[in-house]
Amino acid sequence: MKTKIYFGIFSMIFYFLKKRANDLVLKNKLMFEKNVFIGPNVVLDTEYPWLISIGKNSYLAKGVVILAHDGSTKLHTGYSKVGRVVIGEDTFVGVNSIILPHVNIGNNVIIGAGSVVTSDIPDNCVAAGNPAKVICSTSEIIEKHKQKMLLSPIYENGWTSRTGVTEKKKEKMNEDLKQTMGYII
């Protein structure tokens, strides 16, 4: 019985927060261009959404958090930090990454999953870690994966739970991926 009550309360809170976040984005002019994908459970700073800018063809994966303010100094100084966050065009931000205030991420950038971006990332780079550091160029990582694709299993549409993958395909994928990584559209 308690589980149902907690779930009901959680559902109402989630609905309220999601609606409030959507309303704030529309009212407070969060700036994002065409073809921006914002994945599930992405948190965009609802206190200062007008300080967040996302360039065209960019992708924020599940659970990304973008903060334009930071209250860590409030207790000691009486003031919170606040700063713009700019994400360039053609940029991918991986699952559960956190982007802190006063950060500029360039164009054609890949941010690895779980990264904490505390400082600027230049154009055409791959960055990962906590704190995120540049590890290579975007073209290097793309070329590396294009070469791996020549020797790896490739899966077309119909190989995800969302598209109704069959048991036979699941077994094949499990077998194929015992020793290597594959790629899917």
Side-chain angles (χ1 to χ4, degrees):
M1 182 71 165
K2 280 186 177 182
T3 305
K4 286 183 180 181
I5 293 170
Y6 290 137
F7 182 74
I9 292 169
F10 176 76
S11 295
M12 288 187 302
I13 291 169
F14 180 76
Y15 172 78
F16 172 77
L17 292 175
K18 186 174 180 182
K19 183 176 179 350
R20 185 167 186 264
N22 288 339
D23 291 346
L24 285 169
V25 165
L26 295 173
K27 289 178 185 172
N28 291 308
K29 299 181 172 68
L30 169 72
M31 296 176 284
F32 59 90
E33 300 289 332
K34 292 179 180 178
N35 299 323
V36 171
F37 176 82
I38 298 178
N41 303 320
V42 168
V43 176
L44 303 172
D45 193 323
T46 58
E47 295 294 316
Y48 302 95
W50 60 88
L51 294 177
I52 300 170
S53 174
I54 304 170
K56 70 180 180 181
N57 302 320
S58 290
Y59 189 106
L60 305 180
K62 179 182 181 180
V64 168
V65 175
I66 301 176
L67 298 173
H69 81 289
D70 174 354
S72 64
T73 56
K74 182 108 174 158
L75 179 65
H76 301 286
T77 67
Y79 293 92
S80 294
K81 300 182 282 185
V82 63
R84 292 188 70 227
V85 174
V86 177
I87 298 173
E89 297 178 0
D90 303 307
T91 292
F92 176 88
V93 181
V95 169
N96 293 332
S97 293
I98 301 170
I99 302 171
L100 296 179
H102 191 62
V103 166
N104 292 300
I105 298 174
N107 297 318
N108 197 34
V109 170
I110 297 170
I111 303 294
S115 296
V116 179
V117 184
T118 61
S119 60
D120 293 353
I121 305 295
D123 291 348
N124 305 307
C125 290
V126 176
N130 180 6
K133 302 283 186 213
V134 173
I135 56 175
C136 65
S137 72
T138 305
S139 60
E140 286 174 310
I141 198 89
I142 297 304
E143 186 55 36
K144 175 183 170 183
H145 284 285
K146 283 183 177 179
Q147 292 303 312
K148 282 186 172 185
M149 288 173 74
L150 297 173
L151 305 171
S152 300
I154 304 287
Y155 304 98
E156 302 295 330
N157 289 324
W159 287 81
T160 68
S161 55
R162 190 177 54 239
T163 58
V165 64
T166 64
E167 289 302 317
K168 188 174 181 177
K169 285 182 176 180
K170 289 178 191 178
E171 290 171 15
K172 178 168 177 27
M173 185 180 267
N174 263 307
E175 187 61 34
D176 290 351
L177 301 180
K178 281 184 177 176
Q179 303 295 322
T180 188
M181 180 183 296
Y183 295 86
I184 191 162
I185 289 182

